[in-house]
Amino acid sequence: MRESELSLPDLIGESLVDDALFADAYGISTDGERALMKTCIARLYDWYGPRKDAAREVATRWRGGFDSVSRFAPVDFALVLFDGTLTSPARLLASLVPAVACGVRRILAVRLDVEEAWAPGLLTAMELAGQELVADLDRNGLAELLDRLAEAGASGAVIDLTADPAACPERAGLAVYRPVFGRNAVLFLDDDATFDLDALAFIHPDTAFTVFGADVPLPDGFTRGGDSFSAFLDAVRDVAYAPADRVGETLDRARLVLGPGQEGCWVWPELQSDFFLFHRTAWTIGD
């Protein structure tokens, strides 16, 4: 693919979100809210990179009598796709920041089939992450965009948070990751200082929290689950928040466990750095 053939701003044109919306959202966010997002961004950079090499080629002579050449480099573009059900800044950052850290040069965030106003937290999160290309598209617009990228010979990676495979059908040269995580989480408190519940309510407004352990006042939308740790473990599905000394037991049940101080954070456990690489392989008969 020639560099001149791929300009995401030209391809999406008027669908780009106005810069003024980002400025307005940032202006109404608090220092504490921005600190939560900055912590999430920093943790994700530590976890995923940053990647130092731009590309790599490995030539191997095999004992079985053949040679191989493997080339891999970051994909030409990454697309983070979500709909109106996603309002969590942390889940969005966990999809955007890895692409940046893994060396993808062109990243586009697309809100699909939504006419309502943007959630300010999402815009602020993208502003803090340096995500400049953000668009509102319908499904026809998305299909047209992917067609034009395919015509340009571009390789891509899509993190599809819509939970609808029809939103972005798989194509040649396009890797698609669809995290399947429920929008609920359980939490265990040793006391009222174990977790910052207000921070969780802000960073995950689309998540239903069930709280076990200490009986403390709960934010709107949180429900009481009882005081038993065993009941907490039985209630674990995908995501749990647990005190540091209970993380080991909890990790036997959950796919993601977050401890105190990680209220603003999120990571997709199955999303690995290799997802953002495009691989080419050649086998030949050895000398």
Side-chain angles (χ1 to χ4, degrees):
M1 187 210 70
R2 295 189 297 273
E3 291 289 316
S4 60
E5 294 180 333
L6 183 58
S7 170
L8 289 178
D10 290 343
L11 291 178
I12 55 182
E14 295 181 358
S15 298
L16 278 172
V17 175
D18 194 299
D19 288 344
L21 293 179
F22 290 91
D24 291 343
Y26 189 91
I28 65 174
S29 64
T30 67
D31 289 343
E33 291 168 350
R34 292 194 294 271
L36 288 170
M37 299 180 206
K38 289 178 181 178
T39 298
C40 183
I41 292 168
R43 297 282 192 272
L44 289 164
Y45 266 106
D46 284 343
W47 186 254
Y48 283 100
R51 187 176 183 85
K52 296 180 179 179
D53 57 335
R56 189 174 298 183
E57 180 173 305
V58 178
T60 306
R61 177 156 295 176
W62 298 85
R63 295 172 63 184
F66 71 101
D67 296 341
S68 69
V69 176
S70 298
R71 294 177 181 173
F72 47 93
V75 292
D76 296 315
F77 72 92
L79 172 65
V80 177
L81 185 65
F82 54 100
D83 57 23
T85 66
L86 178 79
T87 56
S88 167
R91 291 193 182 206
L92 181 58
L93 288 170
S95 306
L96 285 169
V97 175
V100 180
C102 292
V104 182
R105 293 179 56 196
R106 304 172 185 85
I107 303 169
L108 173 64
V110 171
R111 190 176 68 154
L112 189 66
D113 286 338
V114 181
E115 297 182 357
E116 291 80 9
W118 276 83
L122 297 183
L123 293 174
T124 302
M126 290 188 285
E127 178 80 3
L128 290 170
Q131 178 58 35
E132 298 179 350
L133 293 180
V134 182
D136 272 312
L137 294 175
D138 59 20
R139 296 197 181 208
N140 289 335
L142 174 63
E144 181 179 349
L145 171 64
L146 292 175
D147 286 342
R148 295 181 69 178
L149 290 167
E151 290 169 3
S155 61
V158 177
I159 300 92
D160 183 1
L161 304 179
T162 67
D164 179 6
C168 182
E170 296 185 8
R171 300 165 177 241
L174 189 68
V176 181
Y177 170 65
R178 294 186 175 93
V180 182
F181 271 62
R183 296 285 178 83
N184 52 68
V186 294
L187 182 147
F188 191 86
L189 298 175
D190 285 332
D191 54 43
D192 61 0
T194 306
F195 286 101
D196 185 338
L197 301 185
D198 290 330
L200 287 172
F202 165 75
I203 208 73
H204 295 295
D206 51 12
T207 297
F209 286 92
T210 304
V211 179
F212 294 80
D215 189 0
V216 301
L218 301 179
D220 291 342
F222 285 51
T223 59
R224 179 76 184 150
D227 57 7
S228 166
F229 185 69
S230 62
F232 161 80
L233 290 177
D234 289 341
V236 172
R237 295 297 177 266
D238 294 319
V239 184
Y241 292 78
D245 60 353
R246 298 181 185 267
V247 164
E249 290 178 84
T250 308
L251 195 56
D252 290 336
R253 305 287 188 97
R255 297 165 65 194
L256 175 63
V257 181
L258 294 166
Q262 307 291 347
E263 288 90 343
C265 299
W266 191 267
V267 65
W268 302 113
E270 296 90 0
L271 183 59
Q272 303 297 316
S273 299
D274 273 0
F275 175 75
F276 298 99
L277 298 179
F278 189 69
H279 292 256
R280 302 175 188 271
T281 299
W283 284 5
T284 58
I285 298 298
D287 295 335

